[in-house]
Structure formats: C-alpha cells, structure tokens
C-alpha cells in the first residue's frame, strides 16, 4: 500500500510538470537566458529531488523529477526546449565529459577488482584473519576507521577500497551496512580535506588565485572544524558504544542478524559465485597495495612529477580522474597476473569478473549520472551566480560572524548541488577578495569554513557523488545510508557552527579547536545518557 502511495505521488508530480509544460510553454530565441537565471528558483530542482528522495525512498525517479524541473525552468515551460536541455545539454553532455567518464571507468575497474578478490578467496581469507585478531564490533569499526584514515589520497578511492576490504569483517561482527556506510563516508571527504597530499587539497589550492594556495590550505587545517569533529564523533560514538536516530534501529537489527533492515539490497546478487579454496590474505593485500601505489603514481604522472615537477606541486595540479583510472587499470593487470601465477583463478574466471564487476556498479553509475545531470541543470539556471551575489553583498557586514555564515551557506549549496569542489570554486574566491588586504587571519578561518561547509553539505546530500560511492562501497541501499547518516552529520554541523562563531571572535586555532572538541565530546556524552549503551546479544 505504501509503495503504491509513493509511486502515485511521484507520477502525480511528473504529470503536473508535463501539464505545466503544455500550458505555459514559451518559445526560445538564439541568445536565450532563462527568466529565473541567478534567482532562488535555481536551487529549487535539487531541493525538490532531495526532498522526494527522502520522502518516497525512490532515488532514480526523484532525481529524474529534479532534472525535469530544471529543464522546465530553464526552457520557460517550452516542451521542445525542456527535452533538448535535459538530454543534449544535460545527460549527454555530462556523460561525454572526460572527467566524468574517467570516474565511471574507475568505478567499473574497482568493481571488477572487488569481484576478483572475492572469487579468489582473498576477501574471505582476510575476513577469517580479522575474525581471529579483531575482538568484537568495536575493534571491527575502529579498524574500518583506521583504514579509512590511511587512504587519504582521494575520497572515491577511499570509499570503494575501504568498503571492499572491511565489508567481510564488519559482517562477521554484525555491524549494519548503514553503519559501515557511515564509517566509510565519514572517513572519506573529511580525511581528504585535512590531508595536505590529496586530490582535495589540490582542488582547494587551485581555487586560491593570487595567493600561496598550498600554504593557505595547511594553515586552514586546524580551523576545519566539521572534518575534525566528524572524525572525533565517529571514534567517540564507537568507543561509547551508543547510537541514536534511525542508525540505532539498524544496529539493533544487525545484532539480531539482519544487516540491512529494509528489503532493498541493490548491490546484492542472488547467486553467489564459487570462491577459490586456494585464496589467502595475500590475494587481497597485494591487489589493494598495488592499487594504492599505482593510483598514487598515476596522480603524480598527471601532475607532471616525471617531467620535473616536485612531489607537492605534482599532487596539487594532478588530474584525479585520469590518474585514478590509469592507476586502477595497472592495479587490475597486476591482480590478474598475480592470480595466474598463483593459479588461484583461471584466466577465463578472471575475465568473467569484468561484466560482474560492471553489474555491481550499475546502481552507483545510474545515481551518479542523474546527479551530474541535475548539477548541470542547476548550473544552467545560475545557482552559482545567485549564491555568489548573496554572499558578496553581505560579506562586509558582521565580519566576526562571517565564518559561521559562510559555513552555513557552504552547507546549503553543497547539499543542493551535491558537489564540494563546485562549492569551493564559488565561495573561496569571494572570501579571498574580501579579506586578503584587510584581515588575513579571518581569511584563513573563512576559507576553512568554506571547505568545512562544502564537506558537510556533501556529506548530507543524497545526490553527492561521495555519498553514492560510500553506499556502493558498503553495498548499502543509498537512501538508507542517507537517512541514517543525516542525524550524525547534522550534530557535527551544529557544533561546528558554534565553533566558527567562537573562532570568528578569538581568531586563534589554539583556543577555538580545543573548545570545539570539548563541545563535541560533551555532546556525545549527552547522546549516550539519553540513548544508553547498545548491548550486544549473546
């Protein structure tokens, strides 16, 4: 009955939008600028898509409705203009973008490698090894966090690698897939945004024009409250053994043996392939280590390291998409070669893993494609111009409160558009222009607030590529991950907001950061007092 109501709601929205196209359709000229360009309406499509996804639990239809609304607003309710904009300027355009295609290829290769490691018995052997050495759920969750913190090169790589390695371990100790997805997501972007050598550091450095971008990034790390507090909260909640919100419900069910809670299991296959009995822990560790090394070399190569650039500069100007694609390809070749030499899998079995790996990533690829298209719709409506205008017009008033304000704006923009890097690109140049000649310390704090807000919004958003990757890495239904993670992310965001108000006045990381951590720890103890300890059943 509920499913019928949800489908009826989605269908009704589509019919209303199509009716509006027919009745209010307008013709377009060659030099066409939409009437709603750079207005609040530019943010409506992603807000509608996110709202529908959370209400109906239907991700694909919700994203499509957001895309459709964006096309309608852009075309002025023109039927031809709407269809043309959605497919030609939207979906086809984003799927022909070289960066996006590289990410999709990277996804498929990683899906193939995960399939290879599973079929070779490496994942099962590692799961058994971990079960013998890791004692209890707390140990399994802390091991997941540690691995996530160690893989700080890129958030995409982090999500899928940590998920494939730790999934057998967390399953063994009855950690819900929703909790695993949260642990992956909370150590992906947050650790990348405070790691000087990462694709995220490279992106931020590139947006700080006319300044020493790398130096500013390093100085901004202690003020990146959301990233730091998210890691503190994640570790603290594990050690305190408490949960709240819908995550608590998922974890209680996991302790009873149901790792999913809901029927939706898009990443699971009904027929599990045979696993090689010759597999050992090395059949997982060697491919993972090879993948990490090859991806690092690939990113350094695209940054010009082998053409004379120094290590830091090469990372700061690397092409993450191309570097990860090339690195994962060579990692795949090494893995296949390893399994042939060790006679763990036949060559034909290795080749059979390629379509299986592709199929395992289809849900993530579909959601990414829709999310990228929705972002293209938002860009065409001038959402970035609208936000930049609003921020710039109020930037010189309430200077001490500006870091907190910028944090909130960054959260909202990244949540609505699903992109951290796009948020950096909009807000950081504005902050530099406002503060570079007046208050350098406040400029550092505000730049960090940009980064923290972008990561926070990206962390919460159902249309964020990192959130999608975390769902894929944990093999968790996407909406489950979003709804269970949201209360945790919002809690860290509220504490971060208060911390940025304090930082705006004291303008010292030595004072603001300890206060922020103390507030976060106090908040966790309050949560534990209210929700109690999650008891493991015998």
């Amino acid at each position: 009955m509920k499913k019928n109501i949800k489908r009826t709601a989605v269908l009704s929205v589509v019919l209303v939008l199509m009716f509006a196209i027919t009745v209010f359709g307008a013709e377009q000229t060659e030099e066409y600028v939409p009437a709603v360009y750079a207005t609040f309406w530019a943010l409506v499509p992603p807000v509608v898509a996110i709202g529908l996804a959370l209400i109906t639990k239907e991700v694909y239809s919700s994203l499509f409705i957001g895309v459709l609304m964006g096309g309608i607003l852009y075309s002025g309710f023109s039927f031809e203009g709407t269809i043309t904009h959605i497919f030609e300027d939207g979906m086809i355009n984003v799927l022909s973008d070289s960066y996006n295609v590289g990410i999709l290829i990277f996804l498929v290769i990683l899906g193939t490698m995960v399939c290879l490691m599973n079929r070779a018995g490496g994942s099962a052997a590692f799961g058994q090894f971990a079960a013998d050495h890791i004692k209890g759920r707390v140990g399994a969750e802390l091991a997941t966090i540690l691995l996530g913190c160690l893989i700080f090169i890129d958030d995409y790589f982090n999500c899928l690698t940590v998920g494939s390695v730790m999934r057998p371990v967390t399953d063994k100790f009855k950690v819900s897939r929703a909790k695993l997805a949260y642990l992956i997501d909370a150590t992906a972007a947050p650790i990348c945004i405070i790691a000087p050598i990462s694709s995220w550091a490279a992106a931020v450095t590139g947006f700080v024009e006319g300044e020493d971008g790398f130096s500013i990034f390093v100085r901004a790390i202690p003020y990146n409250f959301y990233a730091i507090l998210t890691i503190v909260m994640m570790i603290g909640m594990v050690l305190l053994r408490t949960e709240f919100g819908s995550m608590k419900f998922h974890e209680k069910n996991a302790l009873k043996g149901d790792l999913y809670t809901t029927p939706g299991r898009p990443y699971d296959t009904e027929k599990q392939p045979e696993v090689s009995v010759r597999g050992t822990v090395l059949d997982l560790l060697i491919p993972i280590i090879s993948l990490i090394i090859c991806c690092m070399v690939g990113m350094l190569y695209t940054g010009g390291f082998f053409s004379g650039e120094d290590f830091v500069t090469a990372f700061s100007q690397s092409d993450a998409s191309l570097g990860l694609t090339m690195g994962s390809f060579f990692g795949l070749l090494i893995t296949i070669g390893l399994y042939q030499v060790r006679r763990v899998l036949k060559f034909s079995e290795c080749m059979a893993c390629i379509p299986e790996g592709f199929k395992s990533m289809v849900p993530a690829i579909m959601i990414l494609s829709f999310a990228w298209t929705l972002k293209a719709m938002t860009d065409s409506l001038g959402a970035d111009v609208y936000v930049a205008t609003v921020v710039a017009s109020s930037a010189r008033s309430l200077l001490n409160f500006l870091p907190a304000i910028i944090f909130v704006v960054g959260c909202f923009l990244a949540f609505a558009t699903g992109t951290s890097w796009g948020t950096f690109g909009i807000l950081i140049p504005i902050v530099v222009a406002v503060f570079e000649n007046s208050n350098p310390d406040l400029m550092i704090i505000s730049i960090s607030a940009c980064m923290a807000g972008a990561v926070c919004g990206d962390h919460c958003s159902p249309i964020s590529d990192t959130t999608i990757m975390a769902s894929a890495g944990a093999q968790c239904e996407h909406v489950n991950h979003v709804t269970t993670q949201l209360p945790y992310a919002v809690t860290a965001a509220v504490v971060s907001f208060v911390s940025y108000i304090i930082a705006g006045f004291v303008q010292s990381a030595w004072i603001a950061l300890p206060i922020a951590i103390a507030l976060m720890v106090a908040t966790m103890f309050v949560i534990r007092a209210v929700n109690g300890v999650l008891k493991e059943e015998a």
Side-chain angles (χ1 to χ4, degrees):
M1 184 67 180
K2 289 183 178 179
K3 287 186 177 180
N4 291 334
I5 293 174
K6 292 174 183 177
R7 289 169 183 166
T8 302
V10 171
L11 183 60
S12 299
V13 174
V14 174
L15 291 175
V16 168
L17 292 175
M18 296 306 294
F19 176 76
I21 292 175
T22 306
V23 175
F24 302 107
E27 294 184 2
Q28 300 178 19
T29 59
E30 291 185 4
E31 298 182 359
Y32 178 73
V33 177
V36 297
Y37 186 81
T39 67
F40 174 76
W41 287 99
L43 297 175
V44 170
V47 170
V48 169
I50 292 168
L52 282 174
L54 294 176
I55 293 169
T56 66
K57 314 296 183 185
E58 297 280 353
V59 181
Y60 306 122
S61 58
S62 300
L63 288 174
F64 176 74
I65 289 174
V67 170
L68 178 60
M69 180 169 286
I72 292 171
L73 291 174
Y74 179 86
S75 66
F77 295 90
S78 164
F79 181 81
E80 180 184 357
T82 297
I83 300 302
T84 302
H85 188 57
I86 288 174
F87 290 101
E88 183 177 356
D89 302 329
M91 194 165 291
I92 294 175
N93 186 47
V94 299
L95 291 178
S96 60
D97 180 85
S98 60
Y99 189 94
N100 292 344
V101 172
I103 294 301
L104 295 182
I105 295 173
F106 174 61
L107 269 175
V108 172
I109 293 176
L110 278 185
T112 302
M113 287 195 64
V114 170
C115 183
L116 280 167
M117 290 184 290
N118 288 341
R119 190 168 292 190
S123 298
F126 182 80
Q128 186 59 50
F129 172 82
D132 294 337
H133 292 79
I134 295 175
K135 305 302 179 183
R137 301 174 82 248
V138 172
E141 292 177 31
L142 289 177
T144 304
I145 295 170
L146 177 61
L147 182 60
C149 291
L150 291 175
I151 304 178
F152 52 77
I153 303 169
D154 184 78
D155 54 328
Y156 293 169
F157 182 45
N158 182 306
C159 289
L160 296 174
T161 303
V162 175
S164 63
V165 172
M166 295 307 301
R167 199 164 52 243
V169 181
T170 54
D171 285 356
K172 179 84 174 180
F173 291 102
K174 297 181 179 179
V175 177
S176 69
R177 290 296 177 85
K179 184 62 181 291
L180 175 60
Y182 167 68
L183 296 178
I184 293 171
D185 209 350
T187 51
I191 198 67
C192 289
I193 199 63
I194 58 175
I197 305 300
S198 70
S199 58
W200 285 55
V204 173
T205 300
F207 291 131
V208 185
E209 297 181 3
E211 300 281 342
D212 182 356
F214 187 77
S215 174
I216 287 177
F217 179 87
V218 172
R219 291 172 60 194
I221 291 174
Y223 291 108
N224 203 318
F225 297 132
Y226 181 78
I228 295 171
L229 294 182
T230 294
I231 296 171
V232 170
M233 180 179 181
M234 177 174 49
I235 296 173
M237 295 294 285
V238 170
L239 294 176
L240 292 174
R241 293 181 297 159
T242 187
E243 308 290 349
F244 67 103
S246 55
M247 185 74 81
K248 184 177 181 180
F249 181 63
H250 278 253
E251 284 290 86
K252 282 186 174 181
N253 282 346
L255 289 172
K256 298 174 184 176
D258 181 6
L259 301 178
Y260 297 88
T261 294
T262 55
R265 307 175 188 197
Y267 296 93
D268 262 11
T269 54
E270 294 181 3
K271 184 180 179 182
Q272 298 296 331
E274 294 183 4
V275 176
S276 173
V277 295
R278 298 171 62 90
T280 66
V281 174
L282 289 177
D283 293 311
L284 181 134
L285 292 182
I286 293 177
I288 292 296
I289 293 171
S290 300
L291 188 63
I292 293 172
I293 294 174
C294 289
C295 285
M296 286 188 66
V297 172
M299 292 183 67
L300 289 171
Y301 171 78
T302 62
F305 179 75
F306 299 103
S307 300
E309 297 287 355
D310 62 90
F311 186 86
V312 174
T313 303
F315 250 104
S316 67
Q317 60 189 22
S318 63
D319 184 334
S321 174
L322 179 58
L324 291 175
T325 300
M326 293 193 299
S328 60
F329 173 73
F330 284 103
L332 176 63
L333 293 183
I334 291 171
T335 301
I336 294 175
L338 170 70
Y339 293 164
Q340 296 305 296
V341 171
R342 284 182 34 76
R343 298 183 179 179
V344 175
L345 291 177
K346 298 178 182 178
F347 184 75
S348 59
E349 292 176 318
C350 291
M351 293 300 100
C353 288
I354 295 177
E356 289 299 319
F358 189 104
K359 284 192 290 185
S360 71
M361 288 298 164
V362 166
I365 291 171
M366 286 184 65
I367 297 174
L368 269 179
S369 300
F370 277 122
W372 286 335
T373 305
L374 182 59
K375 182 184 180 300
M377 299 293 105
T378 307
D379 290 344
S380 68
L381 292 171
D384 54 346
V385 178
Y386 170 70
V387 173
T389 303
V390 171
V391 174
S393 63
S394 59
R396 296 190 182 278
S397 60
L398 302 172
L399 286 182
N400 295 107
F401 289 96
L402 196 59
I405 294 171
I406 288 175
F407 174 73
V408 173
V409 172
C411 287
F412 180 74
L413 183 58
F415 182 82
T417 60
T419 170
S420 294
W421 291 15
T423 304
F424 300 153
I426 295 168
L427 295 181
I428 289 179
I430 297 173
V431 170
V432 173
V434 170
F435 290 113
E436 63 180 337
N437 297 321
S438 59
N439 193 329
D441 291 333
L442 204 54
M443 179 184 77
I444 297 296
I445 300 172
S446 298
I447 287 177
S448 190
C450 291
M451 296 188 288
V455 171
C456 178
D458 183 84
H459 202 186
C460 298
S461 178
I463 61 174
S464 158
D465 44 10
T466 309
T467 309
I468 296 164
M469 296 285 189
S471 300
Q475 291 193 354
C476 171
E477 188 178 35
H478 184 56
V479 175
N480 282 348
H481 169 43
V482 174
T483 54
T484 53
Q485 174 174 263
L486 201 55
Y488 290 69
V490 170
T491 301
V494 171
V495 179
S496 299
F497 175 75
V498 175
S499 302
Y500 277 115
I501 294 176
I502 296 171
F505 284 94
V506 301
Q507 297 182 23
S508 169
W510 294 103
I511 300 174
L513 183 57
I515 292 175
I517 293 175
L519 288 172
M520 188 75 257
V521 172
T523 302
M524 287 189 291
F525 275 101
V526 172
I527 291 171
R528 184 185 183 185
V530 173
N531 293 274
V533 176
L534 194 67
K535 296 181 180 179
E536 298 184 35
E537 298 181 0

